[in-house]
Amino acid sequence: MTALETTNLSTRSDPSSPWWHIDPTPALAAVGLGLVGLIAIFSATRGRDEENYVTFFIERQGMFLVVGVATLFFIIFFDYRWLLSVVHIVYMGTIGLLVAVLLIGVEANGAKSWFAFGTFRMQPSEFAKIGLIVALAALMSRRTDGPMTFYELGFAIGLALLPIALVVRQPDVGTAMVFLAITASMLLVGRAEAHHLIFLVAVSAVALGLLINSPLLEDYQKDRLESFIDPTATQASYNQQQAQIAIGNGGMTGTGFGEGTQTKAGLVPEQQTDFIFTVVGEEFGFAGGTVVLTLFGLLMWRLYRIARLAGDSFGGYLVTGVLAMIGFQMFQSIGMTMGIMPVTGIPLPFVSYGGSSALTSFIGVGLAISVHMRRFGAGIDAEVGQPVR
Amino acid sequence: MNDQSPFRLAMLGMLVLGLFASLFARLWYLQVVTEAEAQAQAEANLLRTVFVPAPRGRVLDRTGNVLIDNRLVNEVTLNRFALTEALPRESQRKQFAIKLAREVSAAGYLIKAADVEAAITDQKYGLFDEVPIATDVPERFSILIGEREDEFPGVGVRKTTVRFYPYGNLAAHLLGYVGPVFAEDLDLLEGHPKLYRATDEIGRSGVERGLEEVLRGTPGIEVIEVDAAGNPVQTVSATEPTPGNDVQLTLDINLQALAERELAEGIRFARTQREQGINSSGVAEELDFFKAPGGAMVLLDPDGARILAMASYPTYDQRIYLQERIPQRQIDLLNDPASGAPLLNRATNGSYAPGSTFKLITAYAALDSGMLGDRGFLGRSQYLVDNGIWRVPGECFGAGCSIENAGQKPLGDVDLAEAIAQSSNIYFGQLGFQFNVRQGFQARQLIRIANDFGFGEGTDAIPGALAGAVPEPANAGGAANLAVGQGDMIATPLQMANAYAAIANGGKLYSPMLAERTLDAATGEELLAFPERLRHELYMPDEFYNPMITGLAGVVASEKGTAFSAFEDFPLNRFQILGKTGTVENRPKQDNAAFAAFGPWPNPQYAAIVYIEQAGLGGDSAAPVVASVFRQIADGNIATVPTEAEADDLISVAEAEEEERLRTQQEADREERLAAAAAGVDGQSFEVLVPGEESDTADSEDPDTADSDDADTADSGSEPAGDNSNLPVAPPATVPTATPTPTAVAPDEAAPDPDATEQP
């Protein structure tokens, strides 16, 4: 009993305090992935000059990680339910940024996806993922009784389609696919009716078919999709081929840090970002790949658990969205390097080089931890002015 | 409380779990199951193995004339990797193929866009290989490509060697050609020290094939480390290419040209003759012209059976195999029996019955076995009555049951020498019959002697040469037939010539040889001398040899001899020829004509056979060809064959002289005409041009016998780019008997051969 009494003395020992319920595991997994990413990025970007390695990329990425962790820490102080009061601003802001990037953004790799601030670049479509998750979660948690009506479903889809359309306009089909995955997962977990969902799947399949054959897609995008269907054809399939050889070259224990011949020879493109997993696979082998997959597995498992245990449906949907976002990006990015997904430029969360992506992922995890901390919700609802559900 | 459906969330969880499982499985598959494969590929990605081709050795004749040489040409190549980098879309590459084909064709080498596309996708070549598109493009094309690099990504021009035949299509069958390695051969060549690859060339026929081991060089191998863009970083290892070795043949190109020319001449002459027949009422009558679709001539040195010349008619132009892609039409034409199947080397692969030329083997078998001897059928010099027709006694069915002489001519009393000289079928048919029926004798004895003379046995001097067959006769009639060289027996002209070479040298049967020695390509030093290969030494005492020689001499010299007329004017006193005619029944077709001979007796240096399909009597059609060849040898009057380049020079000299002559004549004519006009005579102006016209028609020559020109059959429509279409016709046709002075090479030599007209 004395032990219980001593714990009662601090905030941390108060069972009603959110801090009593903190789950640090997802944050630790995310940081672990970030560190693996730092090593892989350094290997991919340090260059051939042994006297004078390029450190620009890891310095930047290290900074992004620090900022990311700090943001995460900052977020967990806040109650996620506060977002419900600003959801309109969040959504409008998201759309505003996506429109603005089309107007004043800078182009790279054929897509107008970035704002440039001096040497820094910001990719609004990354943050828009969080915006979409928040908006959909808020919409779907507005009513708790009965299944979603057709109208509600249509509204949710409309809410999702607007940013998707803007991202496709950049054009950045990869990110648009993440948006789709988020929306689909949230609708699946939400109260949408099964026959509505089946109908949706059918409609989107037809839409995808039309999209591939429409002039909306750039040639290189079609090439990538075609090469996934017919892998003997083009440049994209060549990249993918080389990526797979790189991973296979790693074998059980890998070639060792900086020794990956496939990646060092530049046979794999974009290896510090979208194809980062080839560096891990080649240089650290099956062992290294397993570590990355295990960390992701840990993260997914905790996110799933948080979604299950969430104190309200808003939190549950929120974490479901984050789970879908990180899960889909992981599967797409790693699967692409191993030839089981088409080549689309999607970064591997926490691991790939890139500030916007890292920050977005950390925000997602931060929101999840915040949901978990406040799952019992005592006394907080009044604070944010929401009725208790 | 959370209103999410736990079931729905679990579905999402299961989905995520499934994704994990698939990633994990795929990772396992890539890194553990197929690890070795990927590692090999990763290594291959960084190391490019470049094969530096080694030039093939040259082929020389026995006096050192180069028969097959190498020529340095420009080759247009395509780097697929660079192309697909620059033009990722299929439609772009289609456009590119059309553009490149147009450019290359404009430079003088005709290719189609489809050819370029085929090269782009050719599975034989690796991703980083340079795929050849066109060879032998002019220098200016490489300059053009260098200037317009951006328009033609991946296209390059490099130097390469191609085979070059200084004497055109002379000895085409014998020399053969090179071609790509077939996939099935490549498996056999796995691990060969000379490193064959799918893109290599290999000797496909003739000397090129038979001496492939000598001629082929060993390619050099450079292993280069490259970066991702394919740019070389450093050379890891390099071995120099080793050129192939030269080969000196036993062949004499001048004799070869002589043989080809005389054979063609003889065949042309045979076609002007009519078959003689006897109609149902027993009256002699003239039948159709002889068809004489083809023939062969072999000239051997009896010492070691060295092949001095080997001609097969009709011949073809082996240069069509220099083309990158040979039109199927041409290949069909080369194999078409209607065109005489020019690709067939009749000297080594014609399957013929030897006819009466085989009687010498029967004679030797009879002498050796004792059939002609004290306890045999006849004494060695005993006479037998030849009534012109003889039936196998007893019941007999099938071929050979009735043996008759040519024209059923009764020859009276004949001994062995007479029987040879007059070609008595009755005498030899009965010998054959006796082999089958006589106590203590067997038809197999005859077959074994035939084998000892090389019949039914292959030769490795010529790859793919026919072994022929001497089958066991089924009955007495068959044995009689075999003894006169008829029936089921199959022999090649080379085998017949070799058997006579063995008789000429006193019974030593050698395996025919074509390669004399190998030479170092750079220094010309002898590396290896091929030995003569004695296969059998036949027991040949004088009592066997003398009657045979007497008989053979009689064939040519005796008035009753079957080849007497062909050698009537021949200087036999200083160059004595011994020979044997053969007239081979070939029903339902016309008879084949054969003549085997050697000389000069008593120290024979040449053994020869001429075998002409469907040309009647051996003494009428084949013997004159041998006589003509031997006459030129006897007179020391063998024309030196110019190479094509030399022939071109000679022709242009001749043309210049002809032009000069015409010009002076025209001037003379003009003066004459002016004089005539001055005299008031008119109307002659039309004829002024006649001399010029005459020479024009003479130039284009023999319109009706066009198919008999030895180069023509292969030539029609076969020239790749139509560049030098006049060449194949030039050397054999334009080099007459005399030394090649310009005047001797006047293009119009349509007059029939004097030897031919001598024939009764």
Side-chain angles (χ1 to χ4, degrees):
Chain A
M1 298 303 123
T2 39
L4 193 68
E5 279 165 21
T6 37
T7 49
N8 273 344
L9 292 176
S10 70
T11 332
R12 186 76 181 83
S13 62
D14 174 11
S16 66
S17 159
W19 298 102
W20 180 269
H21 306 288
I22 191 165
D23 180 1
T25 322
L28 293 177
V31 170
L33 286 169
L35 293 178
V36 173
L38 273 186
I39 299 170
I41 289 164
F42 184 50
S43 173
T45 58
R46 63 179 183 163
R48 283 170 194 261
D49 185 358
E50 292 181 19
E51 311 257 295
N52 200 2
Y53 283 132
V54 176
T55 54
F56 172 83
F57 288 93
I58 47 159
E59 283 168 12
R60 279 281 185 100
Q61 182 71 4
M63 193 178 73
F64 295 148
L65 288 183
V66 169
V67 171
V69 173
T71 312
L72 182 147
F73 212 67
F74 180 73
I75 284 173
I76 62 177
F77 278 93
F78 288 85
D79 191 324
Y80 64 98
R81 275 166 285 198
W82 174 76
L83 286 171
L84 283 171
S85 58
V86 292
V87 64
H88 294 99
I89 301 165
V90 168
Y91 186 76
M92 296 313 280
T94 301
I95 300 302
L97 283 174
L98 289 178
V99 172
V101 81
L102 287 177
L103 301 175
I104 59 167
V106 291
E107 196 175 310
N109 293 342
K112 214 171 181 184
S113 309
W114 284 271
F115 290 124
F117 307 108
T119 58
F120 284 91
R121 279 183 177 185
M122 181 208 150
Q123 193 176 359
S125 53
E126 286 291 334
F127 299 104
K129 291 169 189 168
I130 298 292
L132 178 66
I133 290 170
V134 170
L136 280 177
L139 175 74
M140 287 163 68
S141 58
R142 250 184 12 197
R143 206 166 54 81
T144 53
D145 51 327
M148 279 172 95
T149 61
F150 191 77
Y151 167 77
E152 282 172 325
L153 184 65
F155 191 70
I157 291 168
L159 217 55
L161 279 182
L162 183 56
I164 289 173
L166 289 170
V167 172
V168 168
R169 278 290 292 169
Q170 291 181 355
D172 183 353
V173 176
T175 306
M177 279 168 64
V178 180
F179 280 61
L180 272 177
I182 291 169
T183 312
S185 305
M186 291 179 75
L187 288 178
L188 173 73
V189 173
R191 287 165 293 104
E193 288 199 83
H195 65 266
H196 284 159
L197 288 180
I198 293 166
F199 172 74
L200 265 182
V201 168
V203 167
S204 33
V206 171
L208 188 69
L210 290 176
L211 184 69
I212 288 176
N213 292 309
S214 77
L216 274 175
L217 287 182
E218 296 291 322
D219 272 355
Y220 78 94
Q221 290 168 327
K222 281 187 193 173
D223 257 3
R224 287 170 174 182
L225 282 170
E226 278 167 16
S227 89
F228 187 69
I229 295 157
D230 171 21
T232 55
T234 53
Q235 182 64 35
S237 84
Y238 173 73
N239 290 341
Q240 206 167 27
Q241 201 76 39
Q242 294 303 328
Q244 288 181 63
I245 293 171
I247 292 171
N249 191 31
M252 199 46 119
T253 54
T255 57
F257 176 76
E259 301 294 322
T261 55
Q262 283 284 108
T263 44
K264 288 301 139 318
L267 287 161
V268 179
E270 299 288 338
Q271 42 179 291
Q272 75 276 24
T273 58
D274 303 343
F275 278 87
I276 187 86
F277 191 73
T278 55
V279 180
V280 177
E282 183 172 29
E283 302 194 348
F284 306 110
F286 186 68
T290 305
V291 166
V292 170
L293 283 182
T294 307
L295 286 172
F296 271 115
L298 192 63
L299 180 59
M300 298 286 110
W301 170 53
R302 291 320 280 197
L303 290 179
Y304 173 73
R305 188 171 170 276
I306 293 169
R308 279 281 322 259
L309 300 178
D312 59 8
S313 49
F314 176 61
Y317 290 133
L318 208 56
V319 181
T320 302
V322 174
L323 173 68
M325 173 181 86
I326 297 179
F328 178 78
Q329 291 199 51
M330 173 206 69
F331 182 68
Q332 166 61 37
S333 180
I334 297 180
M336 163 183 83
T337 63
M338 297 200 291
I340 54 177
M341 289 296 278
V343 177
T344 27
I346 291 180
L348 186 58
F350 307 111
V351 184
S352 285
Y353 173 80
S356 303
S357 163
L359 209 53
T360 305
S361 306
F362 275 109
I363 291 172
V365 173
L367 286 175
I369 294 175
S370 175
V371 168
H372 195 64
M373 285 162 73
R374 293 167 179 86
R375 66 186 186 279
F376 300 115
I380 297 168
D381 295 326
E383 199 181 301
V384 288
Q386 281 273 324
V388 178
R389 295 189 174 188
Chain B
M1 191 51 216
N2 186 349
D3 69 331
Q4 291 186 106
S5 152
F7 173 70
R8 289 277 183 91
L9 191 62
M11 271 171 69
L12 185 68
M14 292 306 287
L15 188 68
V16 174
L17 203 64
L19 298 186
F20 263 104
S22 61
L23 286 182
F24 206 75
R26 183 69 181 173
L27 195 65
W28 176 265
Y29 174 78
L30 285 179
Q31 296 198 307
V32 180
V33 179
T34 61
E35 176 194 358
E37 206 178 301
Q39 284 177 350
Q41 266 184 303
E43 194 174 356
N45 268 339
L46 289 186
L47 300 177
R48 294 288 144 69
T49 308
V50 180
F51 285 79
V52 186
R56 260 176 108 76
R58 299 176 306 164
V59 177
L60 286 68
D61 84 344
R62 68 169 180 173
T63 54
N65 294 312
V66 181
L67 306 183
I68 308 181
D69 207 342
N70 291 320
R71 196 158 58 94
L72 205 59
V73 295
N74 291 314
E75 183 176 51
V76 182
T77 61
L78 188 61
N79 186 317
R80 259 189 279 194
F81 184 68
L83 177 68
T84 43
E85 284 270 272
L87 306 172
R89 301 283 301 169
E90 175 112 26
S91 54
Q92 290 173 306
R93 293 199 289 271
K94 269 207 157 61
Q95 286 299 317
F96 166 85
I98 293 166
K99 207 163 72 171
L100 181 63
R102 214 169 262 160
E103 271 323 319
V104 175
S105 299
Y109 184 100
L110 293 172
I111 59 167
K112 294 192 179 70
D115 296 338
V116 177
E117 281 180 59
I120 294 174
T121 54
D122 194 337
Q123 291 300 314
K124 279 195 305 189
Y125 295 91
L127 179 62
F128 304 105
D129 283 347
E130 304 280 334
V131 185
I133 302 280
T135 44
D136 208 359
V137 293
E139 190 66 38
R140 64 176 194 279
F141 184 78
S142 62
I143 298 166
L144 179 120
I145 286 299
E147 281 170 354
R148 298 163 67 182
E149 220 166 317
D150 297 345
E151 276 181 72
F152 298 103
V155 178
V157 179
R158 67 176 178 195
K159 295 280 181 194
T160 185
T161 57
V162 295
R163 285 309 230 183
F164 169 61
Y165 307 93
Y167 291 95
N169 70 339
L170 263 186
H173 291 105
L174 208 58
L175 298 178
Y177 52 86
V178 292
V181 186
F182 292 152
E184 56 265 30
D185 300 335
L186 206 59
D187 296 339
L188 298 176
L189 293 167
E190 182 85 45
H192 193 283
K194 290 190 172 176
L195 303 164
Y196 285 90
R197 299 194 310 146
T199 52
D200 278 352
E201 290 200 313
I202 190 170
R204 297 230 64 90
S205 91
V207 169
E208 293 274 30
R209 179 170 149 202
L211 295 165
E212 171 74 17
E213 287 288 324
V214 180
L215 293 170
R216 180 174 170 84
T218 309
I221 302 175
E222 276 180 27
V223 181
I224 299 169
E225 192 186 322
V226 295
D227 64 12
N231 301 315
V233 177
Q234 58 165 334
T235 304
V236 178
S237 69
T239 55
E240 287 291 308
T242 316
N245 293 321
D246 288 356
V247 168
Q248 185 156 35
L249 301 182
T250 59
L251 194 78
D252 184 317
I253 193 64
N254 296 329
L255 288 176
Q256 175 72 24
L258 178 65
E260 287 192 20
R261 192 170 62 235
E262 293 301 337
L263 176 66
E265 204 56 60
I267 286 172
R268 257 177 265 179
F269 171 72
R271 288 176 186 163
T272 64
Q273 303 299 301
R274 281 177 185 275
E275 190 180 356
Q276 305 291 319
I278 300 164
N279 67 10
S280 48
S281 48
V283 180
E285 60 170 4
E286 292 214 319
L287 303 173
D288 280 345
F289 285 111
F290 286 116
K291 291 196 179 66
M297 175 165 193
V298 179
L299 198 58
L300 296 179
D301 180 353
D303 176 26
R306 291 174 159 80
I307 297 169
L308 298 173
M310 193 158 81
S312 176
Y313 182 96
T315 184
Y316 69 104
D317 194 335
Q318 74 273 42
R319 284 168 295 192
I320 67 163
Y321 288 97
L322 292 175
Q323 298 168 88
E324 205 82 25
R325 278 161 283 273
I326 306 156
Q328 188 61 39
R329 188 174 50 84
Q330 287 186 3
I331 293 176
D332 291 346
L333 194 69
L334 287 180
N335 290 305
D336 184 9
S339 65
L343 212 52
L344 174 70
N345 185 352
R346 286 171 159 78
T348 58
N349 291 70
S351 50
Y352 302 119
S356 298
T357 60
F358 190 72
K359 284 173 182 165
L360 257 284
I361 283 77
T362 306
Y364 177 81
L367 290 163
D368 185 56
S369 64
M371 178 65 82
L372 286 176
D374 297 340
R375 275 170 293 165
F377 170 57
L378 289 172
R380 281 192 200 120
S381 49
Q382 198 176 342
Y383 283 83
L384 180 128
V385 182
D386 180 339
N387 292 325
I389 185 159
W390 175 77
R391 286 196 60 82
V392 171
E395 283 203 3
C396 180
F397 301 101
C401 289
S402 175
I403 298 282
E404 49 190 66
N405 286 338
Q408 297 183 0
K409 186 180 166 196
L411 302 174
D413 292 350
V414 288
D415 66 352
L416 178 56
E418 285 285 304
I420 292 170
Q422 301 188 44
S423 201
S424 167
N425 285 348
I426 309 303
Y427 184 94
F428 286 100
Q430 290 195 39
L431 279 184
F433 169 69
Q434 291 294 331
F435 268 112
N436 202 47
V437 300
R438 196 168 186 83
Q439 187 83 33
F441 292 91
Q442 289 180 324
R444 195 166 292 167
Q445 289 174 293
L446 182 53
I447 293 168
R448 205 173 54 238
I449 294 297
N451 290 338
D452 284 352
F453 273 97
F455 290 102
E457 293 187 355
T459 172
D460 41 13
I462 311 288
L466 201 67
V470 194
E472 191 132 353
N475 54 24
N481 229 0
L482 173 63
V484 296
Q486 293 286 162
D488 298 332
M489 181 175 175
I490 293 171
T492 66
L494 178 62
Q495 286 174 330
M496 300 176 211
N498 199 27
Y500 274 79
I503 294 168
N505 65 28
K508 291 197 275 291
L509 185 98
Y510 293 94
S511 202
M513 65 187 281
L514 182 56
E516 191 75 64
R517 58 177 68 91
T518 66
L519 307 170
D520 187 292
T523 61
E525 274 172 46
E526 178 175 295
L527 296 175
L528 175 77
F530 292 104
E532 297 157 358
R533 282 174 305 164
L534 185 63
R535 210 191 278 169
H536 291 291
E537 186 144 15
L538 296 150
Y539 174 63
M540 193 70 83
D542 286 351
E543 59 265 37
F544 291 4
Y545 201 41
N546 289 343
M548 285 162 59
I549 292 300
T550 313
L552 289 174
V555 170
V556 177
S558 151
E559 278 187 38
K560 288 181 180 171
T562 47
F564 176 73
S565 57
F567 284 87
E568 220 170 357
D569 296 337
F570 197 87
L572 288 172
N573 49 351
R574 61 182 167 87
F575 199 93
Q576 191 184 353
I577 301 294
L578 310 184
K580 180 74 196 82
T581 55
T583 306
V584 187
E585 281 185 20
N586 192 23
R587 294 201 181 101
K589 294 175 184 162
Q590 296 158 322
D591 292 349
N592 292 343
F595 187 68
F598 51 87
W601 187 256
N603 293 310
Q605 286 156 26
Y606 303 95
I609 178 110
V610 167
Y611 198 104
I612 303 176
E613 293 170 18
Q614 302 184 48
L617 292 175
D620 291 348
S621 297
V625 177
V626 176
S628 177
V629 169
F630 274 150
R631 186 197 313 279
Q632 288 169 52
I633 293 173
D635 295 346
N637 195 12
I638 305 163
T640 306
V641 198
T643 62
E644 290 203 325
E646 289 165 358
D648 277 353
D649 288 348
L650 296 177
I651 287 170
S652 52
V653 169
E655 276 172 356
E657 286 185 1
E658 177 71 10
E659 258 173 44
E660 177 66 20
R661 192 184 63 77
L662 274 178
R663 201 176 53 78
T664 48
Q665 191 177 341
Q666 273 175 356
E667 270 175 22
D669 284 349
R670 193 184 304 129
E671 276 169 25
E672 198 178 300
R673 195 177 47 186
L674 288 173
V681 184
D682 215 325
Q684 285 203 339
S685 52
F686 287 110
E687 283 171 15
V688 173
L689 289 172
V690 169
E693 276 174 4
E694 250 170 15
S695 76
D696 276 347
T697 44
D699 267 344
S700 56
E701 224 205 317
D702 53 25
D704 51 343
T705 56
D707 60 335
S708 67
D709 191 302
D710 56 357
D712 247 338
T713 26
D715 233 6
S716 49
S718 73
E719 275 303 311
D723 47 353
N724 45 11
S725 53
N726 63 327
L727 288 184
V729 204
T734 54
V735 184
T737 53
T739 49
T741 59
T743 43
V745 195
D748 44 357
E749 48 98 32
D753 191 307
D755 291 331
T757 46
E758 276 168 26
Q759 292 309 305

